[in-house]
């Protein structure tokens, strides 16, 4: 282990030296570096193309808007291009290293640029990355949304290879992977539960979000800890020029965002809040005698961020998120049971950027993540509580090194201290506490070192190669139950604080390549292998707050994911259309499920992993994607064919069965149309193969009781899911006419306040999509009139909504 660690650390020093030496041996070159920002707000532009016009060689800005280009000496033209902004051209005479900060000017006419899914010009065919999509959060309001709530996670469900868990659910599954296999980051802090309202809305307020990037294939080495995908979300920095605000009032919630400079052109802040008012609106209409008179539900969340430019080389950022869901239920009569279910996330991220020189950029990040869930119930003197959670304390250092025009290096390290609270039960009656030993909190250390190089072998061949070394150690304090063959505790073994219990380490190779086929086409291929040290154990087919995060241990081995992918990419009609075809094959090892018959309350007086069983799986498929990038009409069409299977020795008699996330056919269509400055329209359509479930196929009486015979595991398919949503947005006039009091001359000026109305229809043709199936029994078995009928429950019929949005 020490030898391997030393080798990886050595790479951090050897690779920069090698590439610097190669650079020194070549012709004299200089660098042009700087930041690209929005001229009107000071926001950094992510992914803006900066290049030399004469050679068309360049780069893209990083997440902080920073860029570096290595160029030959002499007179040339520096150019910048980014959708929605005026092209930037600047003649330069390169005789030394130059620093050029670019203030990008937004285009005056936005009606021709309404792109929701953004890519840089040529990125589709030039980049080595596969299965990567970027979303512009500020453009999502043009698309239909459930009850008017713009939802980032529901939007990515329309992309090929990404499946939803069902009607209205914001959970997503990527290329056959489970929900726990998606790394969701908010300003580099991990978000463990990304849903409000039991999964119907995501925790991300689009008004506070600047950029969303989804990586579902060819995961680069700077990401780790999950084996299926990365959803990297960056919050807006706030306007450092002037004070602004925006918000909206909808049917179930309202939101407000305020932003402005702390020190003009140097520091800014943004604060964004959102809350539902279902509980407030419905309370006056509930009969006091009703069984639901004491019930209520609400959620709220708050985003905040501040940044400060200490110098030309140093910038600091601090951001945070806090959100909670609270569900209450109490009967109208004294002695009726009462329930309270609170859950939610909190994250904090502090980041420091430092530019050591034009070719070396560093970002240091300290993070805190906290997810907690509780279920509390009481009746008379009886009280019951179930709770679980996870806390992370993390530190990460990332360095970007640009030694020459052909190499773009990244290397760094990460440390996370995990504290897990598995399903914990407390039961009491009056003054009596039941003897249920509380499972101890679990402590673990996770580390990673990585290095990767994105380099041009030739003008046609580009390779991104990297490796990640990850380690995980489960440590004390911990009490391990000694179990007999029947699972009963016979004694305990205690581990002291910091004492090693189990540990794992893995090398995770990542490689992807692009080979250019002419100016508008390319083929790409990728291979990546990852190791995941945390699992999500679920008692149902739908993700709920009751799902429990479980770390690897001596009994629970880390999940291992291996993915192979290849594809063909082509731009059409001068980049107006982007097309791609991708195929993939994935394997999953060391998957977990709860054993059949397991339940949360059985976790007392035993090990937290005693109810688990272990297996493996695989997934393969093909994805087809066509996107129109620009113009008054744009959008995309995506189709996925895939197969996802699982096999557990202790489930389904060891036979292979379809995963609950197996969707053989998935078709999605997204359309945005902006005919003029006042009206914009959006439409989305989705079709998916029905979910695989386990249902009884026969029921009969035996010795006076009903006996059920079930299909094989997930052996029944619900009917296909399909839905059409529509939206129209009316923008109020942004200009007003004023007259000169002396000359009487009339001029038009921009209004300080802007507002719009969004009218949407969810499930426009009233499709009764299945949410779940239950069985209703009727009749008397004594006279042979007993019948069992399967009935489908559909959640949403046609749902119109209206939302008023404003900004100033």
């Amino acid at each position: 282990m020490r030898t391997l660690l030393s080798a990886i650390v050595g790479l951090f020093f050897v690779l920069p030296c090698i590439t610097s030496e190669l650079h020194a041996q070549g012709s004299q070159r200089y660098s042009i570096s700087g930041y690209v920002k929005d001229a009107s707000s000071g926001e950094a532009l992510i992914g803006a193309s900066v290049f030399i016009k004469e050679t068309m060689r360049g780069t893209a800005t990083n997440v902080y808007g920073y860029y570096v280009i290595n160029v030959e000496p002499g007179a040339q033209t520096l150019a910048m291009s980014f959708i929605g902004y005026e092209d930037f051209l600047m003649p330069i005479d390169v005789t030394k290293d130059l620093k050029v900060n670019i203030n990008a000017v937004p285009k005056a006419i936005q009606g021709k640029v309404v792109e929701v899914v953004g890519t840089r010009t040529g990125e589709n065919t030039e980049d080595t990355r596969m299965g990567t999509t970027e979303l512009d959060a500020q453009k999502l309001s043009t698309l239909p949304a459930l009850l008017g709530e713009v939802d980032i996670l529901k939007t990515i469900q329309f992309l090929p290879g990404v499946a939803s868990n069902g009607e209205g659910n914001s959970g997503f599954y990527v290329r056959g992977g489970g929900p726990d296999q998606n790394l969701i980051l908010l300003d580099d802090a991990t978000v463990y539960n990304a849903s409000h309202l039991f999964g119907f809305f995501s925790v991300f307020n689009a008004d506070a979000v600047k950029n969303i990037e989804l990586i579902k294939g060819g995961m680069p080495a700077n990401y780790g800890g999950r084996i299926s995908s990365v959803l990297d979300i960056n919050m807006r920095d706030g306007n450092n020029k002037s004070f602004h605000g925006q918000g909206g009032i909808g049917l179930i919630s309202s939101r407000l965002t305020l932003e402005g400079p702390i020190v003009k052109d140097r520091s800014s802040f943004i604060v964004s809040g959102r809350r539902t008012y279902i509980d407030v609106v419905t309370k006056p209409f509930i009969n006091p005698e009703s069984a639901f008179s004491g019930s209520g539900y609400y959620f709220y969340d708050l985003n905040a961020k501040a940044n400060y430019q200490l110098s030309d080389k140093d910038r600091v950022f601090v951001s945070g998120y806090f959100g909670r869901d609270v569900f209450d239920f109490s009967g109208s009569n004294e002695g009726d049971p009462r329930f309270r279910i609170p859950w939610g996330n909190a994250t904090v991220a502090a980041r420091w950027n430092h530019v050591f020189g034009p070719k070396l950029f560093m970002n240091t990040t300290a993070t805190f993540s906290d997810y907690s869930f509780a279920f509390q119930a009481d009746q008379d003197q009886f009280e019951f509580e179930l709770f679980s959670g996870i806390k992370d304390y993390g530190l990460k250092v990332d360095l970007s090194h640009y030694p020459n025009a052909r190499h773009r290096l990244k290397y760094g390290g990460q440390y996370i201290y995990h504290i897990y609270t598995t399903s914990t039960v407390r039961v009491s009656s009056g003054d009596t506490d039941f003897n249920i030993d509380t499972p101890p909190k679990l402590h673990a250390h996770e580390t990673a070192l990585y290095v990767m190089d994105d380099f041009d072998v030739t003008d046609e061949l580009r390779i991104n190669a990297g490796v990640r070394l990850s380690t995980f150690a489960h440590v004390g304090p911990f009490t391990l139950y000694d179990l007999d063959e029947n699972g009963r505790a016979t004694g305990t073994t205690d581990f002291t604080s910091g004492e090693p219990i189990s540990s794992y380490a893995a090398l995770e190779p990542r490689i992807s390549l692009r080979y250019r086929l002419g100016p508008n086409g390319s083929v790409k291929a990728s291979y990546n292998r990852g190791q995941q040290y945390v699992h999500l154990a679920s008692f149902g087919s739908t993700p709920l707050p009751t799902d429990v995060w479980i770390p690897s241990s001596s009994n629970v081995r880390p999940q291992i994911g291996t993915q192979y992918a290849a594809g063909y990419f082509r731009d059409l009609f001068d980049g107006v259309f982007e097309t791609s075809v991708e195929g993939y094959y994935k394997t999953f090892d060391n998957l977990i499920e709860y054993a059949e018959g397991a339940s949360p309350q059985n976790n007392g007086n035993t090990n937290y992993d005693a109810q688990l069983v272990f297996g493996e799986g695989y997934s393969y498929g093909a994805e087809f994607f066509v996107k129109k990038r620009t113009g008054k009409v744009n959008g995309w069409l995506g189709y996925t064919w895939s197969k996802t299977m699982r096999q557990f020795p202790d489930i389904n008699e060891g036979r292979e069965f379809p995963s609950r996330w197996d969707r053989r056919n998935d078709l999605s269509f997204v359309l945005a149309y902006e005919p003029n400055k006042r009206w914009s329209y959006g439409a989305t359509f989705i079709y998916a193969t029905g979910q695989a479930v386990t249902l009884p196929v026969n029921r009969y009486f035996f010795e006076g009781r009903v006996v059920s015979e079930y299909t094989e595991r997930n052996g029944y398919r619900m009917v296909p899911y399909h839905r059409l949503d529509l939206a129209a947005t009316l923008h109020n006039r942004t200009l007003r006419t004023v007259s000169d009091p002396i000359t009487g001359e009339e001029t038009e000026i921009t209004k300080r306040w802007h507002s719009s109305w969004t009218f949407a229809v969810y499930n426009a043709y009233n499709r009764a999509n299945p949410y779940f199936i239950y069985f209703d029994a009727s009749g008397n078995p004594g006279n042979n009139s007993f019948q069992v009928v399967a009935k489908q429950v559909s959640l949403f019929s046609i749902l119109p909504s209206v939302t008023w949005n404003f900004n100033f």
Side-chain angles (χ1 to χ4, degrees):
M1 170 63 73
R2 290 183 178 178
T3 303
L4 189 59
L5 184 61
S6 300
I8 297 296
V9 173
L11 284 175
F12 292 155
F13 298 96
V14 172
L15 279 174
C17 293
I18 293 174
T19 52
S20 296
E21 182 65 23
L22 289 173
H23 167 54
Q25 293 173 2
S27 61
Q28 178 67 48
R29 300 179 72 92
Y30 297 103
S31 66
I32 305 172
S33 62
Y35 291 88
V36 180
K37 296 185 177 182
D38 185 309
S40 62
S41 67
E43 284 273 1
L45 297 186
I46 303 172
S49 295
V50 185
F51 55 95
I52 299 301
K53 184 179 179 181
E54 288 78 8
T55 63
M56 297 303 293
R57 289 185 177 275
T59 188
T61 55
N62 66 11
V63 71
Y64 303 100
Y66 186 75
Y67 75 93
V68 177
I69 305 177
N70 291 287
V71 299
E72 300 283 352
Q76 43 206 306
T77 305
L78 181 67
M80 187 282 302
S81 176
F82 195 61
I83 191 165
Y85 289 83
E86 300 287 350
D87 289 339
F88 171 88
L89 295 173
M90 179 181 176
I92 54 175
D93 187 12
V94 182
T95 60
K96 60 180 181 179
D97 291 341
L98 297 178
K99 180 179 179 181
V100 181
N101 292 328
I102 300 173
N103 290 317
V105 179
K107 287 185 177 179
I109 301 175
Q110 291 294 332
K112 296 183 179 178
V113 186
V114 198
E115 186 180 31
V116 175
V117 174
T119 52
R120 304 185 299 274
T121 303
E123 180 189 20
N124 182 51
T125 58
E126 290 295 311
D127 208 307
T128 56
R129 297 182 301 173
M130 298 183 63
T132 300
T133 305
E134 295 179 2
L135 296 176
D136 186 340
Q138 300 302 302
K139 303 286 178 62
L140 298 184
S141 59
T142 62
L143 299 181
L146 176 61
L147 294 175
E149 285 296 303
V150 175
D151 197 311
I152 292 170
L153 297 189
K154 285 193 177 66
T155 302
I156 68 172
Q157 292 173 5
F158 289 103
L159 298 171
V162 183
S164 72
N165 192 56
E167 181 72 89
N169 201 290
S170 64
F172 67 100
Y173 312 94
V174 177
R175 292 183 172 179
D180 59 323
Q181 295 172 357
N182 303 317
L183 177 63
I184 302 177
L185 300 173
L186 180 62
D187 277 356
D188 280 337
T190 303
V191 177
Y192 281 94
N193 187 312
S195 299
H196 283 309
L197 191 57
F198 298 100
F200 293 111
F201 300 107
S202 77
V203 300
F204 304 111
N205 182 349
D207 288 349
V209 172
K210 174 166 59 177
N211 184 72
I212 307 120
E213 183 179 53
L214 174 69
I215 304 172
K216 57 186 178 176
M219 189 185 300
N222 56 312
Y223 293 107
R226 302 294 186 274
I227 58 175
S228 275
S229 75
V230 178
L231 183 65
D232 196 352
I233 300 174
N234 291 284
M235 288 177 56
R236 294 171 55 208
D237 298 329
N239 194 310
N240 67 13
K241 307 289 186 181
S242 57
F243 181 81
H244 291 274
Q246 64 176 311
I249 300 175
L251 293 180
I252 67 166
S253 73
S254 291
R255 64 191 193 279
L256 177 65
T257 300
L258 301 174
E259 58 181 315
I262 299 173
V263 178
K264 190 173 182 180
D265 295 328
R266 199 173 187 89
S267 176
S268 62
F269 76 92
I270 183 170
V271 178
S272 185
R274 179 175 58 160
R275 192 196 191 277
T276 60
Y277 31 71
I278 305 173
D279 54 330
V280 178
V281 172
T282 58
K283 191 170 184 178
F285 302 99
I286 298 178
N287 190 324
E289 302 300 321
S290 167
F292 300 98
S293 61
S295 303
Y297 171 84
Y298 64 90
F299 72 75
Y300 62 88
D301 47 41
L302 177 69
N303 296 81
K305 187 174 184 177
N307 69 89
Y308 192 86
Q309 181 179 336
L310 300 172
S311 67
D312 289 343
K313 293 187 175 183
D314 296 278
R315 288 168 168 81
V316 292
F317 305 80
V318 178
S319 61
Y321 166 84
F322 183 81
R324 280 290 179 271
D325 289 65
V326 178
F327 175 73
D328 292 285
F329 177 85
S330 60
S332 56
N333 301 317
E334 186 177 352
D336 285 344
R338 294 176 296 179
F339 304 96
R340 180 176 174 83
I341 310 176
W343 74 93
N345 299 275
T347 67
V348 178
R351 295 188 281 186
W352 167 44
N353 295 166
H354 179 69
V355 180
F356 287 101
K359 297 182 180 181
L360 186 59
F361 180 93
M362 182 189 72
N363 180 63
T364 302
T365 307
T367 60
F368 169 75
S369 297
D370 181 20
Y371 169 69
S372 61
F373 164 81
F375 176 87
Q376 302 154 356
D378 66 86
Q379 184 175 19
D380 296 329
Q381 294 185 332
F382 179 80
E383 296 181 359
F384 173 87
E385 183 177 12
L386 171 70
F387 57 92
S388 63
I390 180 172
K391 287 184 180 180
D392 286 349
Y393 301 86
L395 181 65
K396 185 173 71 164
V397 178
D398 300 288
L399 294 106
S400 299
H401 187 202
Y402 311 89
N404 55 50
R406 290 194 176 272
H407 290 267
R408 295 157 294 276
L409 281 164
K410 280 189 178 181
Y411 40 91
Q414 184 177 19
Y415 167 76
I416 304 175
Y417 176 51
H418 301 283
I419 303 175
Y420 301 87
T421 302
T422 59
S423 289
T424 303
V425 178
R426 292 176 181 168
V427 181
S428 65
S429 180
D431 296 329
T432 303
D433 290 327
F434 290 85
N435 183 24
I436 300 178
D437 288 348
T438 300
K441 291 184 177 181
L442 310 176
H443 303 261
H445 303 284
E446 184 174 354
T447 64
L449 294 171
Y450 75 89
V451 60
M452 64 184 234
D453 188 8
D454 191 55
F455 61 97
D456 296 314
V457 181
T458 66
D459 288 345
E460 289 75 27
L461 179 61
R462 176 180 293 177
I463 296 177
N464 185 309
V467 64
R468 184 180 182 92
L469 170 66
S470 62
T471 68
F472 185 88
H474 178 204
V475 299
F478 181 69
T479 299
L480 179 69
Y481 288 89
D482 302 321
L483 306 178
D484 62 18
E485 59 184 11
N486 297 316
R488 291 189 294 265
T490 59
T492 60
T493 302
D494 293 322
F495 295 85
T496 60
S497 179
E499 183 178 355
I501 301 171
S502 60
S503 62
Y504 297 93
L507 270 180
E508 305 173 21
R510 318 281 175 86
I511 186 169
S512 58
L513 61 88
R514 176 270 294 157
Y515 188 82
R516 185 187 295 154
L517 301 175
N520 299 314
S522 65
V523 291
K524 302 181 186 181
S526 67
Y527 165 82
N528 66 76
R529 180 179 175 87
Q531 191 138 309
Q532 178 173 328
Y533 300 103
V534 64
H535 309 249
L536 186 65
S538 175
F539 286 98
S541 60
T542 301
L544 292 172
T546 52
D547 297 346
V548 180
W549 290 95
I550 292 177
S552 296
S553 63
S554 53
N555 189 41
V556 181
R557 300 185 64 81
Q559 300 183 65
I560 300 174
T562 305
Q563 179 174 205
Y564 309 83
Y568 175 68
F569 300 78
R570 187 165 186 84
D571 294 341
L572 303 173
F573 305 107
D574 294 325
V576 174
F577 285 88
E578 294 181 359
T579 63
S580 63
V581 179
E582 293 187 52
Y584 68 89
Y585 179 79
K586 295 174 69 173
T587 60
F588 308 95
D589 296 310
N590 304 326
L591 301 176
I592 70 168
E593 292 278 1
Y594 275 116
E596 295 175 346
S599 58
Q601 59 268 27
N602 293 337
N603 268 357
N605 297 329
T606 190
N607 295 322
Y608 68 91
D609 54 14
Q611 301 189 78
L612 300 177
V613 293
F614 308 95
E616 59 188 21
Y618 65 87
S619 179
Y620 60 85
E623 301 169 1
F624 304 84
F625 191 54
V626 179
K627 180 179 69 171
K628 186 173 184 292
R629 296 183 65 247
T630 60
K632 292 185 177 182
V633 178
N634 64 73
W636 70 86
L637 175 68
Y639 171 73
T640 304
W641 184 93
S642 63
K643 182 178 181 180
T644 304
M645 304 297 287
R646 298 287 189 263
Q647 189 168 22
F648 286 71
D650 299 300
I651 296 177
N652 201 44
E653 298 180 350
R655 295 190 298 272
E656 187 178 87
F657 59 89
S659 165
R660 73 186 75 167
W661 306 297
D662 179 50
R663 301 286 191 276
R664 297 299 165 89
N665 296 280
D666 192 294
L667 174 71
S668 59
F669 176 69
V670 174
L671 177 69
Y673 173 48
E674 189 169 358
N676 52 56
K677 294 181 181 180
R678 296 207 64 194
W679 281 99
S680 60
Y681 304 92
T684 59
F685 174 79
I686 188 170
Y687 173 92
T689 300
Q691 185 175 353
V693 295
T694 306
L695 295 178
V697 291
N698 287 309
R699 286 189 173 179
Y700 54 89
F701 276 89
F702 180 75
E703 296 181 353
R705 59 188 181 90
V706 177
V707 178
S708 299
E709 289 185 357
Y710 287 85
T711 64
E712 289 195 345
R713 183 70 169 250
N714 296 336
Y716 177 82
R717 289 279 178 180
M718 292 188 182
V719 297
Y721 180 98
H722 51 89
R723 191 188 77 243
L724 172 68
D725 305 330
L726 303 171
T729 301
L730 173 62
H731 301 269
N732 291 341
R733 298 186 185 276
T734 59
L735 300 176
R736 63 185 179 92
T737 303
V738 295
S739 299
D740 188 292
I742 299 176
T743 64
E745 182 181 356
E746 292 186 343
T747 58
E748 288 187 332
I749 64 172
T750 302
K751 293 180 179 179
R752 173 70 175 171
W753 278 79
H754 305 277
S755 64
S756 64
W757 292 89
T758 298
F759 309 93
V761 179
Y762 182 88
N763 195 8
Y765 54 82
N766 202 28
R767 162 73 173 176
N769 284 304
Y771 188 60
F772 65 84
I773 294 174
Y774 75 97
F775 292 84
D776 185 32
S778 62
N780 188 342
N783 56 17
N784 294 325
S785 63
F786 182 78
Q787 289 184 329
V788 178
V789 180
K791 295 186 177 181
Q792 174 184 299
V793 173
S794 298
L795 197 60
F796 296 123
S797 59
I798 183 171
L799 283 177
S801 64
V802 59
T803 305
W804 180 59
N805 299 297
F806 60 87
N807 62 76
F808 57 88

